[in-house]
Amino acid sequence: MSVNPISVEKQFQLNTCCVCFLCVQLFLASLAFVYFAKAFGGAYMKSSITQIERRFDIPSSLIGVIDGSFEMGNLLVIAFVSYFGAKLHRPRLIGIGCLIMSVGCFLIALPHFFQGPYKYETSVSHSTAFNSSESALPCHSNHSLTDADETLSPVLPSSACEKAAGSSMWIYVFLGNMLRGIGETPIMPLGVSYLDDFSREENTPFYLACIHTVGILGPMFGFMLGSLLAKIYVDIGFVDLVTITINHKDSRWVGAWWLGFIVTGTVILLSSIPFWFLPKSLPKQGQEESQSKSTELATVAEQENFLQEENQDEEKEKPVTFQELAKDFVPSLRRLFRNSIFTLMILTYLVAVNGFIGMITFKPKYMEQIYGQSASKAIFLIGILNLPAVALGIITGGFVLKRFKLGVIGAARVSITASVGSFCLLAVQGFIHCDNAEVGGITISYQGAPQVSYNPQTLLSECNMGCSCSMKHWDPVCAYNGMTYASPCLAGCQTSTGTGREMVFHNCTCVGEMMTPGINSSAVLGQCPRKSDCDRIFKFYMALSVVGSFISACGGTPGYIVLLRSIQPDLKALALGMQTLIVRTLGGIPPPIYFGALIDRTCLKWGTKQCGGRGACRLYDANAFRLTFMGLVTGLYFLSNTLWAGLYVKIVKRQKKLALRNQAKENALEGNDVGNGHANINIAKNKDDTDKESTI
């Protein structure tokens, strides 16, 4: 029985087509999962900032350095990966990147297993031996602790000090986050280029939309996981939770932050598996029948369209050397930055990103200190309300561009309108706030009058003068008069009943000063909740925040289109690379650091490390915090809007000049056809001249 060779060949081509299609689909699904995993891990890191700050007893400025280490790692290898990665096995490089990211996540969680149990500041014993009806005498128990404040530091030897909270073990978190940045580098440039090379040209936009849609889910799940774990005690499974006297609303509470990094590291590790089994290259979709052609030639078919025919053979025979590329780099860079619209747009983006990164990093803390929300609730609300609004805004901006077929000027109008609208809502948010938390001796006097200024001596009053209280301890109690006291001792409490979180302090002399004799002068553990109208104010703030997030995101896609349309085609890749480099370097690393340093200046009550010295802040001056944080964010966005206005004027001027030049060209052609044209128009022939703003 004879076999038709033509049918065999067709069957072979059909099988090749199916394999190619399946490989592209597998790569698409794998890349979408990686986008989800990396966004999941990044959002969880942002949601854990407060927990890490409290666990290691470090100031906000240092936590800003740790947060910025991700960008540092990314920038270390981005140029190397972007250039050399395209010439190597791209799927395996992505797999290696995912492996490095997962190692970074596990390294961040590692200090939890090296450190001892978390020991928060407290004047209440952690022992379960106190089960009597009157288990401790807060005021009188401190009489034997003469000069207690001065003896905090020497009580721990250096070996124990290394394991204490606030030691240098935060360096593991710094290095782990840097590894996350290094590992994330190949995912976007190599993944998108691989997909674009081997998929149909008409399918690429749809594939990219699928990837980013799945990626949007990552931050939502990351913040929701952060919210869940913020309610679980850090040493869950290692300590008896009955002995813990604080809850998740306390400023000393540390959630199970380490557990989230194990989860995110595992998810990222799983996402790397498919990339180890994908080939280096594939037949391009729709061109499988051209088996005789090299796969490498097929992958660069689109790029060859931009080359002149007479130079193609020469280019194939004589590949461009590294020296020639380096020689052309500086002139290309000069051409790029001589484009005033591109330069101004980079500056605009840089200022806006500074404001955004600073805001998103410390927004949970802002919601805690200004509106009295717990860390877990603040993180949850950002993840469930703000992030979906941002995703919807990005989609809406793209839809508006497509629906109304807007050009560069139209896109610029949409972007600047969104920027101004979100700025107005942001400015209004600065005036919506609750009053300072009422803490005796810190924000309010023991007699109920507002405290003009705070220093440790204001914690002492006649009602607690005989108790020999430590002024460094932060173990707040809430009295029935609605005032918070820094510790049971400073509240003048004489006795206590119960154990753990159920402990109640009685006969508090400072509480009795403000109340009618015979009224309950007891206090319970924890800070007092804010006034009833604070919840209503907070809901109004969140509504403005969500609407502002949506409006701001609506300008994202149009702004990106303006950037793409303002640069020459041959400089587009270099322009996007420089934009990424500049914005991530100056917009991703500094903001958490200087935002944190300025926020630290508003702290009223610092915690104390186990080894002595200043720990994490326990209580901020809410008004100073609000003015500093919102003033800085609003100022940066105001400057960004000012730059946008100048940018819009330049774009309009350039478009008018281009329109006049095109009209002049048409008139010249018409004059040449008639034979009596007298137009004296010089059209630039020099390549360098075309890079300048068009003039007649």
Side-chain angles (χ1 to χ4, degrees), residues 271-292:
S271 72
S272 71
I273 295 175
F275 293 98
W276 300 100
F277 302 99
L278 286 165
K280 180 180 180 181
S281 61
L282 294 168
K284 189 173 180 67
Q285 283 183 334
Q287 297 180 6
E288 293 85 359
E289 66 278 2
S290 304
Q291 295 295 327
S292 60

Side-chain angles (χ1 to χ4, degrees), residues 123-381:
S123 57
V124 179
S125 174
H126 288 253
S127 174
T128 57
F130 297 98
N131 291 322
S132 62
S133 60
E134 295 190 359
S135 57
L137 304 176
C139 179
H140 298 290
S141 63
N142 282 320
H143 275 299
S144 60
L145 298 178
T146 307
D147 298 326
D149 293 340
E150 285 71 27
T151 59
L152 282 170
S153 181
V155 295
L156 290 176
S158 59
S159 59
C161 199
E162 286 299 319
K163 295 183 178 181
S167 70
S168 59
M169 296 191 75
W170 59 265
I171 294 176
Y172 286 93
V173 182
F174 177 89
L175 294 176
N177 202 33
M178 182 176 285
L179 282 179
R180 285 184 57 249
I182 293 173
E184 194 217 33
T185 307
I187 294 174
M188 193 277 287
L190 301 188
V192 173
S193 63
Y194 188 91
L195 192 66
D196 185 50
D197 286 345
F198 304 118
S199 63
R200 291 179 184 270
E201 293 176 16
E202 62 267 23
N203 289 343
T204 301
F206 174 72
Y207 289 161
L208 292 178
C210 292
I211 291 171
H212 288 290
T213 301
V214 175
I216 286 172
L217 299 175
M220 295 174 58
F221 280 88
F223 275 92
M224 290 173 68
L225 179 65
S227 173
L228 173 65
L229 296 180
K231 293 183 179 179
I232 300 175
Y233 189 64
V234 59
D235 291 319
I236 182 75
F238 297 94
V239 298
D240 183 6
L241 296 181
V242 176
T243 62
I244 305 302
T245 61
I246 58 177
N247 59 29
H248 68 278
K249 296 181 179 180
D250 197 291
S251 62
R252 296 164 294 168
W253 175 272
V254 176
W257 61 275
W258 55 275
L259 188 57
F261 287 106
I262 293 177
V263 172
T264 56
T266 303
V267 171
I268 295 171
L269 184 62
L270 291 175
S271 72
S272 71
I273 295 175
F275 293 98
W276 300 100
F277 302 99
L278 286 165
K280 180 180 180 181
S281 61
L282 294 168
K284 189 173 180 67
Q285 283 183 334
Q287 297 180 6
E288 293 85 359
E289 66 278 2
S290 304
Q291 295 295 327
S292 60
K293 292 185 178 181
S294 170
T295 303
E296 293 298 325
L297 292 178
T299 61
V300 298
E302 183 180 356
Q303 284 81 353
E304 288 180 350
N305 292 332
F306 293 102
L307 301 176
Q308 297 179 2
E309 291 184 7
E310 60 269 20
N311 293 334
Q312 285 186 3
D313 294 335
E314 182 181 352
E315 292 291 336
K316 293 175 185 176
E317 295 175 2
K318 185 181 178 183
V320 179
T321 63
F322 178 79
Q323 288 80 4
E324 291 173 346
L325 287 174
K327 185 179 180 181
D328 188 54
F329 177 74
V330 174
S332 297
L333 208 60
R334 189 181 300 114
R335 286 174 56 206
L336 181 64
F337 283 99
R338 284 171 66 183
N339 185 336
S340 58
I341 289 183
F342 172 78
T343 305
L344 191 56
M345 192 141 201
I346 291 296
L347 186 59
T348 304
Y349 269 137
L350 183 60
V351 175
V353 168
N354 267 260
F356 174 76
I357 294 296
M359 180 175 64
I360 197 65
T361 302
F362 294 104
K363 187 169 185 174
K365 178 178 284 191
Y366 179 80
M367 294 163 68
E368 286 180 65
Q369 296 296 325
I370 306 302
Y371 303 102
Q373 304 299 314
S374 65
S376 61
K377 185 177 180 181
I379 295 166
F380 177 78
L381 291 175

Side-chain angles (χ1 to χ4, degrees), residues 381-404:
L381 291 175
I382 292 174
I384 207 69
L385 294 177
N386 288 89
L387 293 180
V390 170
L392 184 61
I394 293 173
I395 295 171
T396 303
F399 174 78
V400 169
L401 284 181
K402 184 176 181 181
R403 174 67 177 80
F404 298 100

